[in-house]
Amino acid sequence: MTDSHRAVDTEPTVRVLYTAMQIGARVREMGLEIARDLPSTRPLFVGVLKGACMFQCDLARATPLEVDLDFLSVSSYGQGTTSSGTVHIINDLRGDVAGRHVVLCEGVVDSGLTLSNVLELLRDRGAASLRVATLLDKAPCRKVAVPLNYVGWKIGSDFVVGYGLDVNERYRNLPYVGVLEES
Ligand code: IMP
Ligand code: MG
């Protein structure tokens, strides 16, 4: 066995928090809730890339309304796992927000800094209404208060991966959400 093979032995393992089936069921409930709150509208689902990608698309499919999709790419963390507090827009939305009923989709809200920056931006651009949907709410980590309308689950402060969420770009395509553990 070569050294590079041996390195695999020290790979972290992922302890499952929410299975694909649990996520599917919860996201379907959230989609129905959004449709109940926004009857006879055509909401704009704005996803904060890349972490929200899976959640946003599943949520849109679970919402029995005509829904538009747009995407915003921001960076607040760089390579690390704690927030730097500064949000940069890497890729802006393609479309107009003015007059739209916006549902901002996030994978996880941690300090709330990313979200509060993005919400301010969307408010400034004249959204008719602004709601936030997040799969996970790391409530104990909050540094700034942010209004969350739809929350999949409240969790603790563990760093989670999967279903769009990464650490250094890894684990995004896991169909479940889990916590990294050293093996
Ligand atoms: P906040 O600005 O501190 O609320 O962080 C929000 C962003 O940080 C999310 O959109 C994620 O990209 C990333 N993030 C925060 N916590 C986690 C985590 O536990 N796993 C993966 N990404 C996270
Ligand atoms: Mg990340």
Side-chain angles (χ1 to χ4, degrees):
M1 193 189 268
T2 64
D3 283 338
S4 61
H5 283 110
R6 225 171 272 131
V8 173
D9 295 342
T10 60
E11 283 269 288
T13 52
V14 181
R15 176 170 54 83
V16 178
L17 263 189
Y18 300 107
T19 65
M21 221 149 78
Q22 288 174 309
I23 294 169
R26 185 70 189 109
V27 171
R28 277 191 293 280
E29 290 175 348
M30 294 169 84
L32 294 176
E33 216 181 312
I34 290 172
R36 273 199 302 272
D37 291 350
L38 291 165
S40 312
T41 66
R42 180 175 158 178
L44 173 65
F45 282 21
V46 170
V48 185
L49 294 177
K50 301 173 195 173
C53 63
M54 310 285 180
F55 174 58
Q56 178 187 11
C57 294
D58 285 347
L59 190 64
R61 279 182 286 202
T63 305
L65 294 172
E66 188 175 357
V67 165
D68 290 319
L69 300 177
D70 209 340
F71 309 92
L72 191 66
S73 189
V74 299
S75 157
S76 59
Y77 277 73
Q79 298 269 302
T81 56
T82 53
S83 182
S84 66
T86 325
V87 169
H88 305 282
I89 294 184
I90 311 287
N91 271 297
D92 207 339
L93 299 168
R94 289 288 294 273
D96 250 348
V97 162
R100 301 302 306 268
H101 295 287
V102 174
V103 177
L104 187 71
C105 304
E106 253 291 18
V108 58
V109 179
D110 186 289
S111 69
L113 291 166
T114 305
L115 191 60
S116 69
N117 277 268
V118 172
L119 285 175
E120 196 181 314
L121 183 89
L122 297 174
R123 219 173 281 126
D124 287 351
R125 290 182 185 183
S129 71
L130 208 42
R131 289 175 172 76
V132 180
T134 186
L135 183 74
L136 301 171
D137 173 12
K138 287 165 76 168
C141 302
R142 202 60 32 81
K143 286 182 187 153
V144 290
V146 280
L148 303 180
N149 304 87
Y150 312 100
V151 175
W153 292 282
K154 276 183 195 277
I155 60 170
S157 51
D158 282 340
F159 200 82
V160 289
V161 295
Y163 196 64
L165 302 174
D166 75 308
V167 58
N168 298 336
E169 294 305 324
R170 295 191 60 195
Y171 307 109
R172 285 197 201 276
N173 71 318
L174 294 178
Y176 51 86
V177 168
V179 176
L180 281 189
E181 284 178 342
E182 298 305 319
S183 52

